[in-house]
Amino acid sequence: MAELKKIKELLRYLNLNSTYEKLEDICADAEIKNQTPLEMVERILLYEANARKEKGLLKRMKIAGFPYNELNDNFDFNRKGFSGITRSHVKQLLQLNWLEKAYNIMFLGPPGLGKTRLSVELGIAAVKAGYNVTFTTLDHLMTLFKTAEIRTNSSRRLKQIKSSDLVILDEVGFLPISRQEVNRLYEFINEMYMKTSIILTSNKGFEEWSEFLGDSIITAAILDRIAHQCEIFSLNGPSWRLENRKTILSM
């Protein structure tokens, strides 16, 4: 027991906390399997490494701030009238090669076609692959900019967003923004340019952006930077939500 206590003290000193908590179970299982000292050391190191990977994953998922962390596999690429992206496209995107080159992705189209859902699927895959990801709507991003100087939480969140490998900027064009906010959007896009990948979703086609942003020159500058290294998917079709709407009344 004295040896066990001494080893646990060393584990705690070395911050091998997961192994510290499970050392008795690990030793008992190793004894049953008649493992050699080297096998025992390997077992401890693997256990600690896997525990740290899991904690890192949970932390990155929390920081990402996805609207949901689990996706069902019922996205119907073949439903009637739907076009703009295929299952094959998504499989290629899930390989995440574009992230290494700071490429962007844009999902454009009317509401209810799965733009946010596809963005979150790619974001979750990136988190699981070890990348730092953050999700935000454009409206929330503007709120962060406006409150960063007076709220510590806003300032901290902005730093997380700007230090991410991937930023998912959702709902661009859903709500009107002021001229000052347009300038902040340009500054943000320019700061991310060629350094951080952006997945952007919008219900506006490019021809509508000047009206939405209110300035053709700054619109051109924003789109020029986003679209320079970018895969653009223009989705079309009926709203999935309306097709699958639920009712409280029985027929």
Side-chain angles (χ1 to χ4, degrees):
M1 293 297 294
E3 290 182 355
L4 181 63
K5 182 179 180 181
K6 185 176 181 180
I7 291 174
K8 293 192 71 172
E9 288 175 352
L10 288 170
L11 291 172
R12 177 61 65 87
Y13 177 76
L14 294 170
N15 291 321
L16 301 176
N17 297 318
S18 295
T19 305
Y20 171 88
E21 294 172 359
K22 292 289 184 179
L23 182 60
E24 289 89 342
D25 294 338
I26 294 173
C27 290
D29 192 55
E31 186 176 358
I32 292 173
K33 295 178 179 178
N34 196 28
Q35 292 183 326
T36 65
L38 283 178
E39 289 174 332
M40 179 67 175
V41 171
E42 181 184 25
R43 184 186 183 91
I44 289 174
L45 294 176
L46 283 174
Y47 183 86
E48 187 67 31
N50 289 333
R52 291 190 178 189
K53 287 179 182 178
E54 182 63 23
K55 288 180 180 177
L57 172 60
L58 293 174
K59 182 179 179 180
R60 290 194 306 276
M61 286 292 287
K62 182 178 180 180
I63 291 174
F66 297 123
Y68 35 83
N69 292 335
E70 294 184 7
L71 296 171
N72 51 36
D73 194 27
N74 65 351
F75 193 96
D76 187 2
F77 293 92
N78 300 315
R79 61 194 180 92
K80 186 177 180 180
F82 179 79
S83 64
I85 192 168
T86 66
R87 189 180 302 277
S88 177
H89 289 145
V90 174
K91 286 183 177 179
Q92 291 182 59
L93 293 175
L94 287 171
Q95 295 175 10
L96 305 176
N97 297 328
W98 49 277
L99 261 176
E100 292 298 324
K101 301 176 182 178
Y103 268 66
N104 302 322
I105 296 173
M106 297 183 74
F107 293 121
L108 309 178
L113 297 182
K115 300 185 297 296
T116 299
R117 192 256 187 217
L118 291 169
S119 300
V120 171
E121 181 175 2
L122 295 176
I124 290 175
V127 169
K128 290 181 177 179
Y131 293 98
N132 295 315
V133 180
T134 49
F135 177 100
T136 181
T137 63
L138 176 59
D139 185 57
H140 183 60
L141 180 64
M142 293 301 105
T143 298
L144 293 176
F145 275 118
K146 286 185 285 188
T147 59
E149 294 184 0
I150 58 176
R151 294 181 183 174
T152 302
N153 289 343
S154 296
S155 177
R156 184 184 300 115
R157 184 59 176 169
L158 269 179
K159 289 180 180 179
Q160 289 174 341
I161 291 173
K162 291 182 178 182
S163 63
S164 297
D165 302 304
L166 169 63
V167 175
I168 300 176
L169 188 57
D170 197 37
E171 297 184 351
V172 175
F174 278 68
L175 296 172
I177 60 176
S178 67
R179 178 55 188 264
Q180 185 179 15
E181 290 172 332
V182 171
N183 291 335
R184 282 174 170 161
L185 175 60
Y186 166 75
E187 291 170 359
F188 174 76
I189 296 297
N190 191 51
E191 188 173 351
M192 299 295 101
Y193 179 56
M194 300 294 286
K195 296 185 294 184
T196 300
S197 289
I198 295 174
I199 297 179
L200 184 148
T201 77
S202 178
N203 64 332
K204 308 289 188 185
F206 286 161
E207 67 282 357
E208 301 175 271
W209 277 50
S210 291
E211 180 180 354
F212 158 59
L213 296 176
D215 187 312
S216 59
I217 294 177
I218 201 167
T219 297
I222 290 172
L223 289 177
D224 181 66
R225 283 158 178 77
I226 295 177
H228 176 215
Q229 292 189 161
C230 185
E231 199 68 43
I232 302 171
F233 297 93
S234 296
L235 309 186
N236 292 286
S239 169
W240 182 90
R241 295 188 190 93
L242 292 180
E243 286 190 336
N244 294 271
R245 69 184 183 89
K246 298 179 181 179
T247 178
I248 60 172
L249 301 178
S250 59
M251 300 299 291

